[in-house]
Amino acid sequence: MEVMLAQPRGFCAGVDRAIEIVERALQLRGAPIYVRHEIVHNNHVVADLRAKGAVFVETLDEVPAGGTVIFSAHGVSRAVKRDAEVRGLQVFDATCPLVTKVHIEVAKLRASGHEIVMIGHAGHPEVEGTMGQSERGMYLVETVADVERLAPTQPDRLAYVTQTTLSVDDAAEVVVALKRRFPAIVEPKKADICYATQNRQDAVKFMAPRVDVVIVIGSQTSSNSNRLREVAERFDVPAYLVDSATDLDPAWVQGKARVGVTAGASAPEVLVQQLVERLQALGAGSVRALDGVQEEVVFPLPKGLSKAAA
């Protein structure tokens, strides 16, 4: 059995930044530090930060007065920001800058009188945060069928944005449907699906035809990890999403000559290495990293969490 590793895989710049924000806040202010929602959607990362003193909450009501709270990488609504300010909470915002870019787009489009269609998954915290950038004039669609049912009040003043972690191919189908129904719809100046999502999906597209099965490291709540599994399945390759090496069913790889491995943007590399070790214990011989994009993106930390402050 040969193991092929997708490139790139694992942590993106936004996830690196979000985790570092929590760790530096703990160094600077001490535990407990409260984090609204999971900082990133990975059980291993959340458990590690919880052990260091982070307390994960779903609402700001759970944060004591005067406490320090960190907004997750997925972003929050304007209402959540107002609530934090009213309650006098010390805030460090770990929203991924590429999500913030979408929030700024929404604000500009609404200011110019456009209604906005957001392509995304209902209930995902990034979607809730982006939809919450405006109190009205926002519509959510997930599928082409949703587009057909869409009834905006200003169909001639319409724009769209997208969740940053969507399937590139699925989102493209929805965009085609939007443009067919609303030819004048305004599109983002630069695609909202982030570079890391695009790169990891492209890496799976390159890997999938070369392997007999694909294992994706990532938590079930991770949108981009689920999309990687779906991308592999588009090539008629069996694909499985696992939180860690212990979730691997040996039957999935039994008799397979080539096993492809990748990881979602919120999954640490240590989990990949543990999976490789498990595969080696099951008979894998060579481990080969495939060619792919080398990412060098780095995002700055918020003010107050510089190296000097930490």
Side-chain angles (χ1 to χ4, degrees):
M1 187 196 306
E2 180 182 19
V3 177
M4 295 184 176
L5 302 177
Q7 174 63 34
R9 63 182 181 276
F11 278 0
C12 63
V15 167
D16 270 329
R17 175 180 180 269
I19 293 170
E20 189 171 2
I21 286 171
V22 178
E23 290 178 337
R24 291 200 178 187
L26 284 165
Q27 292 171 13
L28 191 63
R29 297 185 174 272
I33 292 291
Y34 294 85
V35 183
R36 187 186 180 278
H37 194 67
E38 293 183 348
I39 187 68
V40 296
H41 282 157
N42 183 268
N43 294 333
H44 178 89
V45 170
V46 169
D48 181 62
L49 293 174
R50 184 177 284 123
K52 293 177 180 177
V55 177
F56 293 89
V57 300
E58 287 303 314
T59 68
L60 295 186
D61 292 340
E62 301 171 70
V63 182
T68 299
V69 65
I70 297 174
F71 295 149
S72 79
H74 313 99
V76 298
S77 68
R78 292 170 63 186
V80 169
K81 289 185 176 182
R82 284 195 300 268
D83 188 22
E85 185 177 351
V86 168
R87 299 190 64 230
L89 302 178
Q90 171 69 47
V91 174
F92 292 116
D93 192 350
T95 301
C96 174
L98 298 179
V99 174
T100 300
K101 164 190 168 291
V102 181
H103 290 185
I104 293 170
E105 286 178 44
V106 169
K108 288 180 177 178
L109 288 165
R110 289 297 293 138
S112 64
H114 288 82
E115 290 191 314
I116 301 170
V117 178
M118 179 167 194
I119 306 171
H121 298 296
H124 190 279
E126 180 187 333
V127 170
E128 292 177 349
T130 301
M131 295 290 287
Q133 297 306 304
S134 178
E135 295 178 357
R136 59 183 68 84
M138 300 282 293
Y139 304 90
L140 177 63
V141 299
E142 295 191 50
T143 65
V144 171
D146 290 338
V147 174
E148 300 309 316
R149 291 190 291 267
L150 194 60
T153 58
Q154 295 179 280
D156 57 338
R157 295 284 289 171
L158 207 57
Y160 76 85
V161 297
T162 75
Q163 184 179 335
T164 62
T165 55
L166 296 179
S167 159
V168 174
D169 296 330
D170 289 347
E173 291 178 3
V174 177
V175 169
V176 168
L178 281 170
K179 289 181 176 180
R180 183 173 59 246
R181 273 208 67 195
F182 309 102
I185 195 168
V186 175
E187 60 186 352
K189 292 180 180 179
K190 185 177 180 182
D192 291 332
I193 295 178
C194 82
Y195 78 94
T197 297
Q198 175 83 61
N199 289 346
R200 280 150 190 72
Q201 290 180 20
D202 287 346
V204 170
K205 290 177 181 178
F206 178 75
M207 179 176 70
R210 294 166 169 78
V211 299
D212 303 307
V213 60
V214 170
I215 310 297
V216 181
I217 290 279
S219 294
Q220 295 294 328
T221 51
S222 168
S223 174
N224 76 86
S225 299
N226 278 284
R227 304 295 81 77
L228 294 179
R229 175 184 53 78
E230 293 168 359
V231 167
E233 289 173 342
R234 285 175 178 259
F235 288 84
D236 294 324
V237 177
Y240 304 94
L241 177 63
V242 298
D243 227 343
S244 67
T246 57
D247 296 330
L248 178 71
D249 184 341
W252 297 342
V253 298
Q254 186 174 8
K256 305 296 187 186
R258 293 169 301 277
V259 177
V261 173
T262 189
S266 51
E269 180 64 15
V270 64
L271 299 182
V272 175
Q273 298 309 316
Q274 290 170 359
L275 177 62
V276 169
E277 291 171 5
R278 177 88 194 281
L279 290 170
Q280 289 173 326
L282 293 171
S286 65
V287 179
R288 178 161 61 97
L290 297 173
D291 293 334
V293 174
Q294 297 293 325
E295 295 175 343
E296 298 179 353
V297 178
V298 177
F299 294 133
L301 296 175
K303 292 179 180 179
L305 286 181
S306 64
K307 290 183 179 179

